[in-house]
Amino acid sequence: MKFGKLALIVALVSCSGAYTLRSWQSDAATSKQEWPSYGGNSENNHFSPLRQINRNNVKQLQVAWTYDTNDVFDGSELQCNPIVIGDTLYGTSPKLRVFALDATTGKERWSFDANEGRKSLGKQRNRGVTYWAEGGEQRILFGFQHWLYALDAKTGQPVKSFGDGGRVDLRDGLDRPDAKTLSVGISTPGVIYKDLFIVGSIVSESLPAAPGHIRAYDVRSGKLRWVFHTIPHPGEFGYDTWPKDAWQYSGGVNDWSGMALDEKRGLVFAPTGSATFDFYGANRHGDNLFANSLLCLDAATGKRKWHFQTIRHDLWDRDLPMAPALVTIRKDGRVIDAVAQTTKSGHVFVFERETGKPVFPIEYRKVPTTGIDGEQVADTQPLPVLPPPVARQQVTEDVLTNRTPAAHAAALDQFRKLKSTGQFEPPNTQGVIVFPGFDGGPGWGGAAFDPASGLLFVNSSEVPCILKLIERPKAQASGKSLYLRNCASCHGRDLSGTPPEFPALTGVGRKFNDAELRTMIRTGFGRMPGFAALGNEGIQAVTRFVLTGEDVKVATDQTNPSPIDLKYTVDGYPRFLDPDGYPAVTPPWGTLSAVDLNKGKIAWQIPLGEHPELVAKGLRDTGSWNYGGPIVTAGGLVFIGATNYDKKFRAFDKATGKLLWESVLPAAGNATPSTYQVGGRQFVVIAAGGGKRGAPSGGKFVAFALPQHSKQ
């Protein structure tokens, strides 16, 4: 179909609403057709100027191709946001096999398995890869276990000149004598600045844990070019906000959720997580910079430009859960290049990029300070005045579930045994309600920003959690006592776990043999720390207890005290649920919000997701747990999967939140989608991996497009 000049203008206006008019030819430019990096671009704003798929024709979307990774295993997940360069799509499988596909057909071009076909000992979260090219060189960088790999983007083979035969050990340069025993990896792709690959890490959430250094590697050689110590060393800014030796034993404070890059200004923006241990900080008195902070660093040198700490001395696992979005907004007649950072609690902090000056006022509010013995709780915490939070902030009796009378009565009985005063009630041994829960509120999927309207699209879960501290068992030299002291907070005193985040260990011998379990205990895996310090005898004793229940005595005494031997640990990670397993509060249990960053207000908010079994009973639009983020296009659409139980992929009108299209995926789309154009045809692709909160696992990528005859 051909357009005359007038018809072209009319078509563009109808498809894109208020979006600034561009010619069809400019949309066809290569840089506008691709999805070249995690989050869509270096600004991580999840925006595409493509408009072939739009409000008027989105109902015609159909499956264009499906790629089955054939890598599914029990409890596996698939969180990859694939990138597209030219006509090639790059992604990762549940087992972290890296592949390249023909982006038009989904046909595999090459595949690389860093695990070399060996059995996967557990799930490793990975959200994609990073691409770099210069001259005739093209590389794919990604993390597998404690390795950073560089592959030839054309062949999938390791680049032998990079590091040691194509890979770099991420444990090198951690400034710890026990570095080789610590768990460290890459869950979210880094960013490219000139010839630097800048990346954070995923580390253990309980001690012992690696420090969360932010590092820049030479993209050609793999050599380390600069390091930013997120737990400051002596003489560095922020060192006085910790005990003097904390940099030698504390861990965490890691950028696990990704970064955003202002290439023009040479600024990289990195959000950080909590200090380890997440819920009790008697060994880390002070504000603990740069934990729970948005860092602005010089991309060339790693020097700090500015920072803002969103939680002082975090005791609630309030990591900054997503990479920020770089946005341009209009406020009081000014055009402002800004950075928007969303938190697990549902707040959106907005800062001027160069200075860190808040765009909207931030207040430091007095909070409860009565902590458990040995704890020193911060007396004030910062909260933005605007925009309002996208999630509810406190569980009170009037928001308890009314799904059934029995559910309400059970929730009320449990509620009256717990403390629920808002965001900053210090942890205790009776139990406090954390709302939103430990994984949000908004999560790692990130937010999408529409430059035409100034709207930031954020999805959020609203499921409360219960935080309860218990005393750690006294150190004794036996397999059971070592398990109770080091493992029970996640996997339960009775090995029942807190599935699916922390799996039950009952029957684990049917999945792993003695040697495999010993390897996992020694080296750690993902967020699980390694326990090499237990020694061979201690590790064998714990393995024997887990497999058989036999409590073997250990000759080597494991009782020497150290700063990481804390008095308290957490009694698992339970959710505040009703007897049927649904959140113990009224819906919505998940939402999608449009936040107007020009005005600092919420433009619209809708429930996101449903529970099919409740729909069958007439209870619709409850919202649900959701993992993965949205994207927004110039065609006027917000695409999002994320919903955990209905397995749907949806398209909404970005101006109103009206549902325009939906399709059921093979498994829940717990990932952020990508969109791109090849051969004149626009595609939208999402990973359907499931595996969250007991949902079935999957391993497919599904691409949608308009029928060939209706592209225009």
Side-chain angles (χ1 to χ4, degrees), residues 4 63 103 263 270 286 309 426 460 467 479 555 583 587 615 622 697:
V63 175
E263 293 185 82
Q309 189 174 39
S460 175
L467 171 54
V615 171
T622 57
S697 294

Side-chain angles (χ1 to χ4, degrees), residues 409-575:
L412 181 61
D413 180 65
Q414 189 175 13
F415 174 80
R416 289 176 173 171
K417 298 173 184 176
L418 301 168
K419 218 167 185 183
S420 181
T421 62
Q423 288 294 315
F424 303 109
E425 179 62 42
N428 61 36
T429 56
Q430 288 74 49
V432 302
I433 296 178
V434 178
F435 189 49
F438 300 137
D439 44 3
W444 51 262
F449 178 73
D450 176 44
S453 62
L455 294 179
L456 185 77
F457 303 95
V458 185
N459 56 304
S460 175
S461 299
E462 294 203 16
V463 181
C465 290
I466 299 172
L467 171 54
K468 182 179 179 181
L469 296 179
I470 58 173
E471 286 199 46
R472 293 181 75 198
K474 301 294 183 182
Q476 298 177 25
S478 78
K480 180 179 180 179
S481 65
L482 292 176
Y483 172 86
L484 292 175
R485 184 168 174 80
N486 296 288
C487 314
S489 62
C490 292
H491 296 289
R493 299 175 67 85
D494 59 356
L495 281 71
S496 61
T498 313
E501 290 299 299
F502 303 100
L505 299 180
T506 50
V508 73
R510 292 190 293 271
K511 297 180 181 179
F512 306 110
N513 61 35
D514 184 280
E516 290 167 342
L517 278 176
R518 282 188 279 114
T519 297
M520 280 193 284
I521 294 170
R522 178 177 290 103
T523 63
F525 212 86
R527 292 190 296 172
M528 174 182 164
F531 294 99
L534 296 179
N536 291 335
E537 193 175 358
I539 292 170
Q540 181 61 62
V542 173
T543 303
R544 181 74 64 83
F545 173 72
V546 169
L547 288 175
T548 69
E550 184 181 354
D551 189 16
V552 178
K553 298 296 182 182
V554 180
T556 303
D557 187 10
Q558 304 288 337
T559 61
N560 292 331
S562 77
I564 69 172
D565 290 329
L566 296 173
K567 180 178 180 180
Y568 293 97
T569 186
V570 67
D571 189 21
Y573 293 76
R575 271 65 187 171

Side-chain angles (χ1 to χ4, degrees), residues 21 84 86 90 165 172 255 281 326 377 384 426 443 484 549 578 606 694:
L21 292 179
V84 180
Y90 301 94
D172 291 343
D255 168 48
L326 301 190
V377 185
L484 292 175
D578 71 22
I606 58 173

